[in-house]
Structures are given as structure tokens and as C-alpha cells.
Amino acid sequence: MRRIRALVPWTILALLVLWPPVHILLARHYHFSTWRYGGFGMYAAPDGGEREVYVFIQDCSARNATEVAPTTTKAPPGFIYRVRAGRADLMALPELSSDEQRALSSLTRDIRSLSRPSDFEQLGRWIDARGAAKGESPPVIAVLVSTPRLDTVKGAAYADVFGFLRERGRWSSVGEASGTSALDVLTARLSACP
């Protein structure tokens, strides 16, 4: 009985030390909030610094949108692309106040690190508020998060992506896939205008 009592504090300490790294791996693999399932969210939340967020917006307009103005605000590189006729062109962000820049930076940081579906929806609303014309239905949007990978056996670097796609106002998950194949599929899908 004395041995069991002596092991209880060590067992609790071991769980408190070992659970956050295990929880990080589970949260990253299954894309759930680090505050769920007994997580110590503040300790288990990955920073997502190596990940990048890319937004692809369907453009079915007849006007020529191939010329793109340079981005003037601080935004993640390769942030928003307009997809039209099988081609993805970088879009310039609208002028943003410092508060809007901080909010956008915070939102993209949350998407990179936590990947919660509500964050993807919030980014979709942010894009709609700044780009959708009155009376038009919101465009099809794909938000992808890329994670760089390194294959030491083949000596190659590549990226895996996952994310969400909004069509007809409904969000659906884009399962993890290689970056190039996911980009080809999404570009074809977003190029198919009604």
C-alpha cells in the first residue's frame, strides 16, 4: 500500500509532462482544438510558424483579371489568389488599417496553428466583406494550409496541404494531400464556372 501511495505523485507528474507532446501530435493530425480532450491548450498549441495559408477565390467575371497590382500591406506571402480559366493569379489586398492588419494576422496565425473550422469560416467572411459585390452570391473559396515536408531518403522537399472549400455557402473539408495534386484539383474545380 505504501508503494502505491509513493507512485501516485510520480504517475501524475509523468502524465503532466508526457501528455502535452502527445496532445500536440494528436491535435495536428486530427485538426482539433488543443483545449479539447484534456489538453493544456496554452502548452500544447503548436505555433504553426512553418505553415502557410493560401486562399483561392473563384472568378467567373468576364473582365480581364490577369494583371495584378502589387500587394501594399503586410500579409503572408502568397496569401490570396484569384482563379480563372485554369490560372491562379496573386491578388492585392485592399488598404487595411493597423487594427485590420493585426486582426488578419491573428486570424491567419490561428488558422496556421489551430486549424479550427470556425477560423476558416471567419476568414471567408472577412474576404466576403472586402470583395463581394452587393447582390452577388459569395464566390467559391478554398482556404489551404501547407505544411512543408522533407524526405531525407529521396532527398526531396514537398508540401502537404489540408483545408476547407466553400461552395454554395457550405464548407467542406479538403483532406490532406500533396500540394501539387491538391492545387491541380482545386484550380480545375474553381475554374468551372456555372
Side-chain angles (χ1 to χ4, degrees), residues 27-29 31 46-54 111-115 120 144-151 156-163 174-180 182:
R28 277 209 165 179
H29 186 266
H31 307 295
D47 71 350
E50 76 281 1
R51 292 178 170 179
E52 290 295 335
V53 176
Y54 297 94
I111 290 173
R112 283 194 318 263
S113 62
L114 301 175
S115 304
F120 288 89
L144 298 179
V145 178
S146 71
T147 306
R149 303 280 187 223
L150 184 62
D151 187 345
Y158 62 97
D160 285 334
V161 297
F162 66 91
V174 175
E176 193 162 324
S178 95
T180 52

Short mmCIF file of all heavy atoms in Angstrom, two decimals, residues 27-29 31 46-54 111-115 120 144-151 156-163 174-180 182:
data_model
loop_
_atom_site.label_atom_id
_atom_site.label_comp_id
_atom_site.label_asym_id
_atom_site.label_seq_id
_atom_site.Cartn_x
_atom_site.Cartn_y
_atom_site.Cartn_z
N ALA A 27 -3.56 16.68 -31.97
CA ALA A 27 -4.27 17.87 -32.44
C ALA A 27 -3.86 18.24 -33.86
O ALA A 27 -4.69 18.64 -34.67
CB ALA A 27 -4.02 19.04 -31.49
N ARG A 28 -2.58 18.09 -34.17
CA ARG A 28 -2.12 18.40 -35.52
C ARG A 28 -2.64 17.38 -36.53
O ARG A 28 -3.00 17.74 -37.64
CB ARG A 28 -0.60 18.41 -35.57
CG ARG A 28 -0.05 19.71 -35.12
CD ARG A 28 1.22 19.94 -35.79
NE ARG A 28 1.57 21.34 -35.64
CZ ARG A 28 2.66 21.83 -36.12
NH1 ARG A 28 3.49 21.08 -36.76
NH2 ARG A 28 2.92 23.10 -35.97
N HIS A 29 -2.64 16.12 -36.15
CA HIS A 29 -3.07 15.09 -37.09
C HIS A 29 -4.57 15.13 -37.34
O HIS A 29 -5.03 15.00 -38.47
CB HIS A 29 -2.66 13.70 -36.57
CG HIS A 29 -2.95 12.62 -37.55
ND1 HIS A 29 -4.10 11.88 -37.52
CD2 HIS A 29 -2.24 12.16 -38.62
CE1 HIS A 29 -4.09 11.01 -38.51
NE2 HIS A 29 -2.97 11.15 -39.19
N HIS A 31 -6.67 17.75 -36.42
CA HIS A 31 -7.12 19.13 -36.57
C HIS A 31 -8.25 19.49 -35.61
O HIS A 31 -9.30 19.97 -36.02
CB HIS A 31 -7.55 19.42 -38.01
CG HIS A 31 -6.50 19.06 -39.01
ND1 HIS A 31 -5.29 19.69 -39.07
CD2 HIS A 31 -6.47 18.09 -39.96
CE1 HIS A 31 -4.57 19.15 -40.02
NE2 HIS A 31 -5.25 18.18 -40.57
N PRO A 46 0.56 24.23 -31.11
CA PRO A 46 1.73 24.47 -31.95
C PRO A 46 1.66 25.88 -32.52
O PRO A 46 0.58 26.42 -32.73
CB PRO A 46 1.60 23.42 -33.05
CG PRO A 46 0.15 23.09 -33.09
CD PRO A 46 -0.39 23.32 -31.70
N ASP A 47 2.78 26.51 -32.76
CA ASP A 47 2.75 27.88 -33.27
C ASP A 47 2.46 27.93 -34.75
O ASP A 47 2.05 28.96 -35.26
CB ASP A 47 4.03 28.62 -32.93
CG ASP A 47 5.23 28.13 -33.72
OD1 ASP A 47 5.13 27.10 -34.41
OD2 ASP A 47 6.27 28.79 -33.65
N GLY A 48 2.67 26.86 -35.48
CA GLY A 48 2.35 26.83 -36.90
C GLY A 48 3.23 27.73 -37.74
O GLY A 48 2.88 28.07 -38.85
N GLY A 49 4.38 28.12 -37.19
CA GLY A 49 5.26 29.04 -37.90
C GLY A 49 5.76 28.52 -39.23
O GLY A 49 6.07 29.30 -40.13
N GLU A 50 5.84 27.22 -39.40
CA GLU A 50 6.32 26.66 -40.65
C GLU A 50 5.22 26.52 -41.69
O GLU A 50 5.48 26.26 -42.84
CB GLU A 50 6.99 25.30 -40.41
CG GLU A 50 6.03 24.15 -40.16
CD GLU A 50 5.44 24.07 -38.75
OE1 GLU A 50 5.74 24.93 -37.90
OE2 GLU A 50 4.65 23.15 -38.51
N ARG A 51 3.98 26.71 -41.29
CA ARG A 51 2.85 26.57 -42.21
C ARG A 51 2.54 27.89 -42.90
O ARG A 51 2.83 28.95 -42.37
CB ARG A 51 1.61 26.11 -41.45
CG ARG A 51 1.70 24.72 -40.91
CD ARG A 51 0.45 24.41 -40.14
NE ARG A 51 0.36 23.01 -39.78
CZ ARG A 51 -0.63 22.50 -39.08
NH1 ARG A 51 -1.63 23.26 -38.69
NH2 ARG A 51 -0.64 21.23 -38.78
N GLU A 52 1.92 27.79 -44.07
CA GLU A 52 1.46 28.97 -44.81
C GLU A 52 -0.01 28.80 -45.16
O GLU A 52 -0.48 27.68 -45.39
CB GLU A 52 2.27 29.17 -46.09
CG GLU A 52 3.70 29.60 -45.87
CD GLU A 52 3.83 30.98 -45.23
OE1 GLU A 52 2.91 31.80 -45.38
OE2 GLU A 52 4.86 31.22 -44.59
N VAL A 53 -0.73 29.91 -45.20
CA VAL A 53 -2.15 29.91 -45.54
C VAL A 53 -2.30 30.49 -46.95
O VAL A 53 -1.73 31.53 -47.26
CB VAL A 53 -2.96 30.76 -44.54
CG1 VAL A 53 -4.42 30.85 -44.96
CG2 VAL A 53 -2.82 30.21 -43.14
N TYR A 54 -3.06 29.80 -47.78
CA TYR A 54 -3.34 30.25 -49.14
C TYR A 54 -4.84 30.26 -49.36
O TYR A 54 -5.54 29.32 -48.99
CB TYR A 54 -2.70 29.31 -50.17
CG TYR A 54 -1.20 29.26 -50.08
CD1 TYR A 54 -0.57 28.29 -49.31
CD2 TYR A 54 -0.41 30.19 -50.74
CE1 TYR A 54 0.82 28.25 -49.21
CE2 TYR A 54 0.97 30.16 -50.64
CZ TYR A 54 1.57 29.18 -49.88
OH TYR A 54 2.94 29.15 -49.79
N ILE A 111 -5.34 30.05 -37.93
CA ILE A 111 -5.54 29.02 -38.94
C ILE A 111 -4.30 28.15 -39.07
O ILE A 111 -4.38 26.93 -39.14
CB ILE A 111 -5.93 29.65 -40.30
CG1 ILE A 111 -7.33 30.23 -40.22
CG2 ILE A 111 -5.84 28.62 -41.43
CD1 ILE A 111 -7.75 31.01 -41.44
N ARG A 112 -3.12 28.78 -39.08
CA ARG A 112 -1.87 28.01 -39.20
C ARG A 112 -1.67 27.08 -38.01
O ARG A 112 -1.24 25.95 -38.18
CB ARG A 112 -0.67 28.95 -39.30
CG ARG A 112 -0.48 29.57 -40.64
CD ARG A 112 0.89 30.22 -40.79
NE ARG A 112 1.35 30.95 -39.64
CZ ARG A 112 1.24 32.27 -39.48
NH1 ARG A 112 0.66 33.00 -40.39
NH2 ARG A 112 1.72 32.85 -38.40
N SER A 113 -1.95 27.56 -36.81
CA SER A 113 -1.62 26.75 -35.64
C SER A 113 -2.77 25.85 -35.18
O SER A 113 -2.54 24.70 -34.83
CB SER A 113 -1.17 27.65 -34.48
OG SER A 113 -2.19 28.53 -34.10
N LEU A 114 -4.00 26.35 -35.18
CA LEU A 114 -5.11 25.58 -34.62
C LEU A 114 -5.97 24.89 -35.67
O LEU A 114 -6.54 23.84 -35.42
CB LEU A 114 -6.00 26.49 -33.76
CG LEU A 114 -5.28 27.17 -32.58
CD1 LEU A 114 -6.23 28.14 -31.90
CD2 LEU A 114 -4.77 26.14 -31.60
N SER A 115 -6.11 25.51 -36.83
CA SER A 115 -6.88 24.93 -37.94
C SER A 115 -8.31 24.57 -37.56
O SER A 115 -8.82 23.53 -37.94
CB SER A 115 -6.16 23.69 -38.51
OG SER A 115 -4.87 24.03 -38.89
N PHE A 120 -11.58 29.17 -40.43
CA PHE A 120 -11.70 29.18 -41.89
C PHE A 120 -12.96 29.95 -42.30
O PHE A 120 -12.93 30.74 -43.23
CB PHE A 120 -11.74 27.76 -42.44
CG PHE A 120 -10.43 27.04 -42.37
CD1 PHE A 120 -10.09 26.31 -41.24
CD2 PHE A 120 -9.54 27.09 -43.42
CE1 PHE A 120 -8.89 25.63 -41.17
CE2 PHE A 120 -8.33 26.41 -43.37
CZ PHE A 120 -8.00 25.68 -42.23
N LEU A 144 -6.39 26.86 -48.02
CA LEU A 144 -5.48 25.74 -47.82
C LEU A 144 -4.35 26.13 -46.87
O LEU A 144 -3.88 27.26 -46.90
CB LEU A 144 -4.87 25.28 -49.15
CG LEU A 144 -5.83 24.76 -50.20
CD1 LEU A 144 -5.06 24.39 -51.46
CD2 LEU A 144 -6.62 23.58 -49.69
N VAL A 145 -3.95 25.17 -46.07
CA VAL A 145 -2.81 25.35 -45.17
C VAL A 145 -1.75 24.36 -45.63
O VAL A 145 -2.01 23.16 -45.73
CB VAL A 145 -3.19 25.08 -43.70
CG1 VAL A 145 -1.99 25.23 -42.79
CG2 VAL A 145 -4.32 26.00 -43.27
N SER A 146 -0.56 24.87 -45.95
CA SER A 146 0.50 23.98 -46.41
C SER A 146 1.50 23.73 -45.29
O SER A 146 1.83 24.63 -44.52
CB SER A 146 1.22 24.58 -47.62
OG SER A 146 2.00 25.68 -47.22
N THR A 147 1.95 22.49 -45.21
CA THR A 147 2.95 22.09 -44.23
C THR A 147 4.14 21.54 -45.00
O THR A 147 3.99 20.55 -45.73
CB THR A 147 2.40 21.00 -43.29
OG1 THR A 147 1.19 21.47 -42.70
CG2 THR A 147 3.40 20.63 -42.21
N PRO A 148 5.31 22.17 -44.87
CA PRO A 148 6.47 21.66 -45.60
C PRO A 148 6.94 20.32 -45.05
O PRO A 148 6.86 20.07 -43.85
CB PRO A 148 7.52 22.75 -45.40
CG PRO A 148 7.11 23.46 -44.17
CD PRO A 148 5.62 23.34 -44.07
N ARG A 149 7.40 19.48 -45.93
CA ARG A 149 7.92 18.16 -45.56
C ARG A 149 9.28 17.97 -46.23
O ARG A 149 9.55 18.53 -47.29
CB ARG A 149 6.98 17.05 -46.02
CG ARG A 149 5.58 17.16 -45.50
CD ARG A 149 5.48 16.64 -44.10
NE ARG A 149 4.10 16.60 -43.68
CZ ARG A 149 3.68 16.98 -42.51
NH1 ARG A 149 4.53 17.42 -41.62
NH2 ARG A 149 2.40 16.92 -42.20
N LEU A 150 10.10 17.14 -45.62
CA LEU A 150 11.41 16.82 -46.17
C LEU A 150 11.58 15.31 -46.16
O LEU A 150 11.46 14.68 -45.12
CB LEU A 150 12.50 17.48 -45.31
CG LEU A 150 13.93 17.34 -45.78
CD1 LEU A 150 14.10 17.99 -47.15
CD2 LEU A 150 14.87 17.98 -44.79
N ASP A 151 11.80 14.75 -47.33
CA ASP A 151 12.03 13.32 -47.46
C ASP A 151 13.53 13.11 -47.58
O ASP A 151 14.12 13.34 -48.64
CB ASP A 151 11.31 12.78 -48.70
CG ASP A 151 11.36 11.27 -48.81
OD1 ASP A 151 12.20 10.65 -48.11
OD2 ASP A 151 10.58 10.71 -49.59
N ALA A 156 14.27 15.03 -51.21
CA ALA A 156 13.33 15.95 -51.83
C ALA A 156 12.50 16.68 -50.77
O ALA A 156 12.24 16.15 -49.70
CB ALA A 156 12.39 15.20 -52.76
N ALA A 157 12.14 17.90 -51.09
CA ALA A 157 11.24 18.68 -50.24
C ALA A 157 9.90 18.81 -50.96
O ALA A 157 9.86 18.93 -52.19
CB ALA A 157 11.83 20.05 -49.97
N TYR A 158 8.83 18.76 -50.21
CA TYR A 158 7.49 18.90 -50.77
C TYR A 158 6.58 19.47 -49.69
O TYR A 158 7.02 19.74 -48.58
CB TYR A 158 6.97 17.55 -51.28
CG TYR A 158 6.83 16.49 -50.22
CD1 TYR A 158 5.61 16.25 -49.61
CD2 TYR A 158 7.92 15.74 -49.80
CE1 TYR A 158 5.47 15.30 -48.61
CE2 TYR A 158 7.80 14.79 -48.82
CZ TYR A 158 6.58 14.57 -48.22
OH TYR A 158 6.44 13.63 -47.24
N ALA A 159 5.33 19.68 -50.02
CA ALA A 159 4.37 20.22 -49.05
C ALA A 159 3.10 19.39 -49.08
O ALA A 159 2.67 18.94 -50.14
CB ALA A 159 4.05 21.67 -49.37
N ASP A 160 2.55 19.19 -47.91
CA ASP A 160 1.23 18.60 -47.78
C ASP A 160 0.26 19.73 -47.47
O ASP A 160 0.63 20.69 -46.79
CB ASP A 160 1.17 17.57 -46.65
CG ASP A 160 1.86 16.27 -47.02
OD1 ASP A 160 1.94 15.96 -48.22
OD2 ASP A 160 2.31 15.57 -46.10
N VAL A 161 -0.96 19.64 -47.98
CA VAL A 161 -1.95 20.67 -47.71
C VAL A 161 -3.24 20.05 -47.19
O VAL A 161 -3.53 18.89 -47.46
CB VAL A 161 -2.26 21.53 -48.96
CG1 VAL A 161 -1.04 22.29 -49.43
CG2 VAL A 161 -2.83 20.70 -50.08
N PHE A 162 -3.97 20.84 -46.43
CA PHE A 162 -5.32 20.50 -46.00
C PHE A 162 -6.06 21.82 -45.89
O PHE A 162 -5.46 22.89 -45.97
CB PHE A 162 -5.31 19.76 -44.65
CG PHE A 162 -4.83 20.61 -43.51
CD1 PHE A 162 -5.72 21.35 -42.76
CD2 PHE A 162 -3.48 20.68 -43.20
CE1 PHE A 162 -5.27 22.15 -41.72
CE2 PHE A 162 -3.03 21.47 -42.17
CZ PHE A 162 -3.92 22.20 -41.42
N GLY A 163 -7.35 21.76 -45.72
CA GLY A 163 -8.11 22.99 -45.59
C GLY A 163 -9.59 22.78 -45.78
O GLY A 163 -10.11 21.69 -45.54
N VAL A 174 -11.17 19.70 -47.02
CA VAL A 174 -10.25 19.23 -48.06
C VAL A 174 -9.22 18.38 -47.31
O VAL A 174 -8.42 18.91 -46.54
CB VAL A 174 -9.55 20.40 -48.79
CG1 VAL A 174 -8.51 19.88 -49.76
CG2 VAL A 174 -10.56 21.28 -49.48
N GLY A 175 -9.27 17.08 -47.51
CA GLY A 175 -8.38 16.18 -46.81
C GLY A 175 -6.93 16.42 -47.15
O GLY A 175 -6.60 17.03 -48.18
N GLU A 176 -6.04 15.95 -46.29
CA GLU A 176 -4.62 16.15 -46.51
C GLU A 176 -4.18 15.44 -47.79
O GLU A 176 -4.52 14.29 -48.04
CB GLU A 176 -3.82 15.64 -45.32
CG GLU A 176 -2.39 16.09 -45.35
CD GLU A 176 -1.69 15.97 -44.03
OE1 GLU A 176 -2.33 16.20 -42.99
OE2 GLU A 176 -0.50 15.65 -44.04
N ALA A 177 -3.44 16.19 -48.61
CA ALA A 177 -2.95 15.67 -49.89
C ALA A 177 -1.65 16.37 -50.22
O ALA A 177 -1.26 17.34 -49.56
CB ALA A 177 -3.97 15.94 -50.99
N SER A 178 -0.98 15.90 -51.25
CA SER A 178 0.24 16.58 -51.68
C SER A 178 -0.16 17.93 -52.27
O SER A 178 -1.21 18.08 -52.87
CB SER A 178 1.00 15.73 -52.68
OG SER A 178 0.69 16.08 -53.99
N GLY A 179 0.71 18.91 -52.09
CA GLY A 179 0.40 20.27 -52.52
C GLY A 179 0.10 20.40 -53.99
O GLY A 179 -0.86 21.04 -54.39
N THR A 180 0.90 19.77 -54.84
CA THR A 180 0.69 19.92 -56.28
C THR A 180 -0.60 19.27 -56.75
O THR A 180 -1.33 19.85 -57.55
CB THR A 180 1.89 19.36 -57.08
OG1 THR A 180 2.15 18.03 -56.63
CG2 THR A 180 3.12 20.20 -56.90
N ALA A 182 -3.32 18.63 -54.93
CA ALA A 182 -4.45 19.38 -54.39
C ALA A 182 -4.65 20.68 -55.15
O ALA A 182 -5.78 21.07 -55.45
CB ALA A 182 -4.24 19.67 -52.91
#
